[in-house]
Amino acid sequence: MRLTQRVHLVGSGATGADLSNPYDCHVYLVDGGGPLALIDAGVGLEPELILANVRAAGFDPANIETVALTHAHADHGGGSGPLHELTGAEVLAPGPAADWLRQADEESISLPRARAGGTYPSDFHLPPCSSAVSIAEGDTIQVGEARLSPIDTPGHARVHVSYLLEGDDRPGLFGGDVVFREGKILLLSTPDCSIQDLVVTMRRLGELDFEALYPGHAGVSLRRGRQHVDAALRVFDAEEIPPNFNA
């Protein structure tokens, strides 16, 4: 599903467009004019569906050089190992999340609690990703003619980055699970979720210049992405909490 000149939606689960496994987050493809990158990896249960969507969009999965994760929660990072095995792509994860994926550390991504609460099947386990490499703010990911810049955006998860996209027909932000349409947020009852961190993150996003907002779930905003950040900020400025995405 083509969104802009360089961005395609190639994975999306039950909270989105139902393009791939129901437990998947949105998985975006960035077309660098040859080299390709994926933003987030889905849960890893049916990675071949994501690659089939890559082919249907007219691209060869062999050209996927990078899988860049916003955070390591299972619906975003669980597919990193399987996708690496299928494509050979380098997997980039923020900070210590790379270690968690290499070691299949389920506790650090709050998977046991999510599994017990019915978010994932009872027999689901995090596949290891032995190739995961750490990335941090200040790094640059060159994808052919496009460029991705990671920005620290904790809140939904203690270790979380968003990616600014340059070189497309409009500046964009891959925001993971930080903010959604209408200023909704995604708070979880997990140790790595912090409303205080999220307030700081939202104020920082409010200072950035981008047009398209590519969230981890639900609707994409291609022309007025900043208005959704501004909507969340108005609620925070009133010392209240924006509506939760799951509500």
Side-chain angles (χ1 to χ4, degrees):
M1 182 183 299
R2 183 173 180 175
L3 302 177
T4 67
Q5 177 185 355
R6 297 202 182 278
V7 178
H8 298 250
L9 186 66
V10 294
S12 183
T15 59
D18 278 327
L19 293 175
S20 55
N21 186 273
Y23 294 98
D24 283 347
C25 66
H26 287 340
V27 180
Y28 298 97
L29 180 143
V30 177
D31 170 21
L36 307 173
L38 296 180
I39 307 296
D40 284 325
V43 76
L45 291 176
E46 295 178 289
E48 65 277 3
L49 294 181
I50 294 172
L51 298 184
N53 290 330
V54 171
R55 294 187 189 93
F59 300 100
D60 185 349
N63 292 329
I64 299 173
E65 297 182 350
T66 305
V67 177
L69 304 182
T70 59
H71 61 299
H73 285 169
D75 56 334
H76 291 254
S80 57
L83 285 174
H84 168 73
E85 292 178 2
L86 290 169
T87 67
E90 180 180 43
V91 174
L92 303 176
D99 289 332
W100 304 339
L101 292 170
R102 286 195 298 268
Q103 300 165 11
D105 182 352
E106 297 187 351
E107 288 290 342
S108 291
I109 66 168
S110 301
L111 179 55
R113 180 176 297 192
R115 192 167 48 218
T119 302
Y120 301 104
S122 60
D123 59 350
F124 173 76
H125 291 280
L126 179 67
C129 181
S130 60
S131 66
V133 175
S134 182
I135 194 169
E137 182 170 337
D139 293 336
T140 298
I141 307 167
Q142 197 68 38
V143 187
E145 300 165 358
R147 183 168 61 254
L148 295 165
S149 300
I151 300 169
D152 289 331
T153 51
H156 169 76
R158 177 171 53 88
V159 179
H160 190 296
V161 297
S162 299
Y163 294 96
L164 275 175
L165 172 65
E166 300 173 86
D168 197 3
D169 56 20
R170 70 204 71 188
L173 180 78
F174 296 100
D177 285 351
V178 167
V179 64
F180 303 88
R181 289 184 65 92
E182 301 175 350
K184 292 184 178 182
I185 58 175
L186 183 47
L187 294 178
L188 303 173
S189 60
T190 54
D192 67 336
C193 185
S194 166
I195 184 65
Q196 290 81 12
D197 286 347
L198 192 57
V199 173
V200 174
T201 283
M202 208 67 65
R203 297 200 192 287
R204 188 173 190 200
L205 292 181
E207 298 174 351
L208 300 179
D209 181 21
F210 60 90
E211 186 174 352
L213 174 64
Y214 307 106
H217 305 273
V220 173
S221 183
L222 294 179
R223 298 200 176 277
R224 291 174 289 276
R226 268 291 307 276
Q227 74 177 8
H228 306 293
V229 173
D230 293 341
L233 279 172
R234 285 194 295 271
V235 179
F236 281 136
D237 286 343
E239 299 183 347
E240 299 178 357
I241 297 177
N244 212 40
F245 169 73
N246 285 341

